[in-house]
Amino acid sequence: MRLFYLHSLSDFRCKRRINPSQYSQATRKPFKSSLDEPLPLHIQDQTLTLKILRAMDPASLGIGVVSAVLQTYTAVTSAYDVYLSVRDFPSTYRELRTAFMVERYRLEQWGDQMLSGVQQKTVQQPQHNMAVWKLFQAVFDAMWAAFQESNKTLEDYGHIVGVPESGDMSDLELLESMQLSVTSPKKRSILGLARTIKFVLRDKKKMEALVRELCYWNDSLDKMTSRLEQESARRRLRVRFSTGNVDELQQLQAAAALLRHQDLEKMASARTVIEKGYSNEIPSQPPDGRIAQSDATVPSAESDFRLEMNQLDWHGLPFMTDQLRATATYRGEGIIVDWRLCRDDTWRRQNPKAFRQRTENLTRVLNSDLRALDVAVLHCIGYLDQSSTVTGYAFKAPPGVTPGQKPITLHQLLTKPTMKSSDVPDLGDRFELAKVLANTVFEILNIGWLHKNIQAAEEDDDLTPAEPKNVLFWPKKGTRDEWDLSKPYLVGFDISRPNQPGEMSEKPLADPDDDIYRHPNYRAAHSHPFLPSFDIYSLGIMLFEIGTWRNVGYQGAHRPSRPNLETHKSDPHFIEKVVMNGPVMDLKRHMGAKYRNAVTACLGGEFDAIWGSERTFESREGRLKYFQAEVQRKVVDAIAICSA
């Protein structure tokens, strides 16, 4: 089956083979595309590894194995680039080009990580590690064999690719001297090869087989790295290929389905919904500035998700002015309804169609299966209207939850009146909770959505915190009050919106308890337009709370010298003045330096600088990709490696 290519390694010496030794690592150039990253896993055990090593050409196991690996790796990346040089792919083949982009990028990222100078020394110096390099060589030879098999397809059409002796030619000159012939050995440029490949592309099934084969071997290379490295590589892949271009997203979705990269497919699908939905948000405000008369409470004939209030069996009152969350039963399953209301509903009243479209879009995204992205959100089954400006999202309770069983919030756990040392979760549990929430916020931003209300508080007239906070937990299976911290759920999408420049939406009114969790530049009526870094700031406060297992608004009576939050919560720079100068530094003792550094990165303003005028990018999308890459490196990946 797939080992066929390994048994055919001896065929690599044929005249039509491009000798990998004719390439050097020095001439490799990074590949750039408008898209990006993947995941299937095929090598299951060490038996296949032994078969690979036995199938190798003994001559390749000599002294120059490291050099041979680098040469073959470079030859494979060059072969990718030849295929990708065909720019005018037929429309029905564009997803194939995207598939080649994905696998080319995967290989390059793996090479940057595993074939760097440091890795070479680590693997090369101990003699027993030569077996690892031999395994690398076997996989790269198999990749090259896949390309060689594709060259045989050229012969099927009467085309033969030949390469002259390299002599003293540079790699670039060698590539440009590649000859194509049908009836004569007349030389043509590498562009001629691209045209020939375009001709061969007519056999779509063979091209699909080639890119699947390359995907298989990339999966094999990924298996040689740790689980954390694989997860980080997948995040980089999703960031690289996330785009606001709907056509490219649809091509990516098709390519990911072909290659069985479920995470890429789900990311592309979710972002396509968001981008298409945003284009349909048409403000309905009349030109004279009057409030438009809304028909938003009338069900849309095109709505797949609108529910009626009487379709749910409510547990108590479905809605009160001081109640933001309710529970119900729908078709025998437990449902939790998060009411989407805001104190300033001007935008909703002025733009009813846009508000309804946004509600539909977010419902559609949260209704999809996002498990491949490791996003900790509940499955949304629809939405309900309480009025023209108050909408509720209906979420399924997690599997195994008894209908009507209410969750607990992170805020409730942190502010337990009789908190004892035994109530503080184990260090490992807090690390896992932080990892899940950090990845969830990261992935929501990557699909083009802003949450805008992470862990924000609400307060009633008696100055008593009123639920809900926006991180929920349910009890572990078979228990009533043993909360499962490994499965948090982020809710509270009440003022969320697409991440689009110039996008208008409601802003929260000034409230000291809410504002503690908000970026200093996003407070009061005249705040800065919301930026992705503001969600990361809110995440940082939540990570601080998890690390200290204490609400950010409570510094402790045993520290009288430290200013009390109650006297400072209206100060937009409270976190900077009080928390950053004391409690955050304590995180190193409790959670370690890596965790502490991740929190300070969120709260210290370095991500805000990416959106400042002092940095220039070719496009807003380029700025967003750079921002996501930095958040991944400094926060998500940094916390992922923390362990007890």
Side-chain angles (χ1 to χ4, degrees), residues 372-550:
L373 301 179
D374 293 325
V375 175
V377 295
L378 295 168
H379 181 75
C380 184
I381 64 169
Y383 66 92
L384 305 97
D385 289 324
Q386 176 66 20
S387 68
S388 62
T389 59
V390 177
T391 295
Y393 293 106
F395 295 98
K396 275 186 181 181
V401 172
T402 303
Q405 189 174 26
K406 292 185 177 181
I408 196 171
T409 68
L410 178 59
H411 176 264
Q412 289 173 310
L413 292 175
L414 295 173
T415 57
K416 188 176 179 180
T418 58
M419 177 79 72
K420 303 185 296 291
S421 59
S422 59
D423 293 323
V424 179
D426 293 340
L427 182 60
D429 292 338
R430 283 181 282 152
F431 277 141
E432 291 305 313
L433 172 58
K435 292 173 187 179
V436 173
L437 293 177
N439 186 73
T440 296
V441 175
F442 174 81
E443 295 294 349
I444 288 174
L445 291 174
N446 197 49
I447 62 174
W449 200 267
L450 301 174
H451 188 283
K452 297 180 59 185
N453 200 20
I454 296 172
Q455 188 63 9
E458 291 290 343
E459 188 174 271
D460 64 17
D461 295 336
D462 295 327
L463 300 182
T464 303
E467 295 307 323
K469 294 299 185 73
N470 292 330
V471 178
L472 308 181
F473 306 91
W474 272 267
K476 293 181 179 179
K477 189 174 182 179
T479 68
R480 297 187 60 183
D481 56 2
E482 186 179 349
W483 307 102
D484 191 349
L485 298 186
S486 67
K487 296 179 180 179
Y489 295 94
L490 181 64
V491 291
F493 292 88
D494 49 313
I495 56 173
S496 66
R497 66 168 175 84
N499 180 16
Q500 292 287 351
E503 170 76 355
M504 298 298 295
S505 65
E506 60 267 5
K507 294 181 179 180
L509 296 180
D511 181 287
D513 287 323
D514 277 356
D515 287 347
I516 292 171
Y517 294 92
R518 295 192 177 113
H519 193 281
N521 294 337
Y522 196 67
R523 297 188 180 187
H526 304 289
S527 58
H528 190 284
F530 199 90
L531 295 173
S533 58
F534 295 0
D535 266 345
I536 299 301
Y537 179 89
S538 300
L539 170 66
I541 296 178
M542 194 161 58
L543 294 176
F544 166 78
E545 292 183 320
I546 293 170
T548 60
W549 206 249
R550 193 165 41 180

Side-chain angles (χ1 to χ4, degrees), residues 578-629:
V578 179
V579 178
M580 290 290 285
N581 288 333
V584 165
M585 295 300 106
D586 292 341
L587 279 176
K588 183 178 180 180
R589 292 191 297 110
H590 297 293
M591 307 292 284
K594 291 184 177 65
Y595 190 97
R596 188 271 315 273
N597 293 342
V599 173
T600 56
C602 293
L603 301 178
E606 50 190 287
F607 297 128
D608 297 333
I610 296 175
W611 299 93
S613 57
E614 64 273 14
R615 296 193 63 94
T616 58
F617 293 86
E618 293 182 0
S619 64
R620 185 178 186 276
E621 189 165 291
R623 188 186 300 270
L624 182 59
K625 287 180 183 293
Y626 179 77
F627 165 79
Q628 286 289 95

Side-chain angles (χ1 to χ4, degrees), residues 49-60:
T49 300
L50 294 174
K51 290 181 179 178
I52 292 174
L53 291 174
R54 290 168 182 165
M56 291 186 60
D57 185 346
S60 68

Side-chain angles (χ1 to χ4, degrees), residues 50-115:
L50 294 174
K51 290 181 179 178
I52 292 174
L53 291 174
R54 290 168 182 165
M56 291 186 60
D57 185 346
S60 68
L61 304 183
I63 299 176
V65 63
V66 174
S67 176
V69 166
L70 299 179
Q71 291 168 352
T72 312
Y73 169 81
T74 306
V76 170
T77 57
S78 299
Y80 268 110
D81 292 342
V82 171
Y83 278 80
L84 291 171
S85 67
V86 182
R87 294 294 178 184
D88 52 343
F89 269 58
S91 58
T92 56
Y93 283 73
R94 286 176 183 169
E95 70 274 12
L96 272 175
R97 187 171 191 274
T98 300
F100 275 101
M101 288 181 183
V102 169
E103 297 308 319
R104 169 64 166 84
Y105 179 72
R106 289 183 70 193
L107 179 62
E108 180 183 311
Q109 290 297 296
W110 185 93
D112 289 344
Q113 177 186 356
M114 299 298 295
L115 301 182

